[in-house]
Amino acid sequence: MRTTRHTPESAIHRPESVLATNKVLRNTYALLSMTLVWAAAVAGVAMMLNLPHPGMLITLAGFFGLLFLTHKTADSAWGLLSVFAFTGFLGYTAGPIVNAYVSGLSNGTELVMLALGGTGAIFLGLSGYVLTTRKDFSFMGGFLMVGILTAFLAGIAAVVFSMPALSLAVSAMFVLLMSALILFETSRIVHGGETNYIRATVTLFVSIYNLFLSLLQLLGFAND
């Protein structure tokens, strides 16, 4: 006589961890962790050597050039080398900026640590929300493209025409836009919209990088 084994109802409906089932997400977070440590190390060296900021033109050329290279090589082994070149360059550009706050303000170190803590809290909070709820934020794609382009052009105008008020507004815009980009990209990975972990890492890294610098500028303004 054959007996039938019944699976507990709780086991049937128990959701599996997104990290446990999504290989792209695991690889993205692993590579993102390594690139963040690498960029921080490069920034630290730039600060110790008191290296000057490369300037807006070199920064833009390096950013878009290495970003293009990373996306072109993302499907090959060269993609890993490209992503470390890209994130290392951004780490170098951040070093002189952080150095200016640390050396120029009496509480500069505290402001930098506060910006780092705020960036980490925002990233973990938003990522955790998407991973827990599995909500689809793909509808934000068009809004993000227009918003980031607008903020980018406004940021250039603020630098060229020396407009501190506009620069402050751009920083506030970038905090909101980068937070939304974290939601958007994490959602794409979870729902299969992004299947390349190198491209996903670059998007999340740029979000964290811009979020940190924007928070730092806002905190510096509040301190003044």
Side-chain angles (χ1 to χ4, degrees):
M1 182 177 178
R2 187 175 60 183
T3 59
T4 303
R5 297 183 60 186
H6 296 282
T7 303
E9 186 177 353
S10 61
I12 295 176
H13 297 286
R14 185 185 303 129
E16 293 185 77
S17 167
V18 178
L19 280 174
T21 58
N22 196 318
K23 182 179 179 181
V24 176
L25 189 63
R26 294 199 306 271
N27 289 341
T28 298
Y29 280 170
L31 183 58
L32 180 63
S33 300
M34 289 186 284
T35 53
L36 287 172
V37 172
W38 163 243
V42 174
V45 171
M47 293 175 66
M48 287 189 295
L49 298 178
N50 200 26
L51 297 178
H53 192 274
M56 185 176 68
L57 292 180
I58 294 178
T59 298
L60 292 177
F63 178 89
F64 286 108
L66 290 171
L67 181 63
F68 175 79
L69 178 64
T70 303
H71 277 271
K72 289 293 290 185
T73 60
D75 295 315
S76 68
W78 289 102
L80 288 174
L81 182 61
S82 299
V83 76
F84 277 99
F86 175 70
T87 55
F89 175 76
L90 290 186
Y92 161 63
T93 62
I97 298 175
V98 175
N99 221 7
Y101 281 87
V102 173
S103 59
L105 297 174
S106 59
N107 62 337
T109 301
E110 289 79 3
L111 293 179
V112 171
M113 297 306 296
L114 189 57
L116 281 173
T119 302
I122 292 173
F123 177 77
L124 293 176
L126 296 176
S127 300
Y129 177 74
V130 176
L131 298 179
T132 302
T133 63
R134 304 196 187 195
K135 285 189 175 182
D136 188 358
F137 289 93
S138 58
F139 65 89
M140 299 171 64
F143 160 76
L144 283 170
M145 182 175 66
V146 174
I148 291 173
L149 179 60
T150 302
F152 174 73
L153 293 177
I156 293 179
V159 173
V160 172
F161 298 106
S162 300
M163 302 171 65
L166 180 58
S167 179
L168 185 65
V170 169
S171 294
M173 289 175 61
F174 263 107
V175 169
L176 297 176
L177 289 168
M178 294 303 104
S179 298
L181 186 57
I182 292 170
L183 288 173
F184 173 76
E185 188 64 17
T186 306
S187 173
R188 288 186 70 217
I189 301 170
V190 170
H191 294 282
E194 178 59 84
T195 58
N196 186 290
Y197 71 95
I198 291 180
R199 293 192 184 99
T201 297
V202 168
T203 301
L204 291 177
F205 184 94
V206 170
S207 302
I208 293 171
Y209 172 85
N210 285 317
L211 183 58
F212 166 69
L213 291 183
S214 298
L215 284 175
L216 186 59
Q217 184 170 7
L218 291 174
L219 289 171
F221 175 82
N223 180 77
D224 291 338

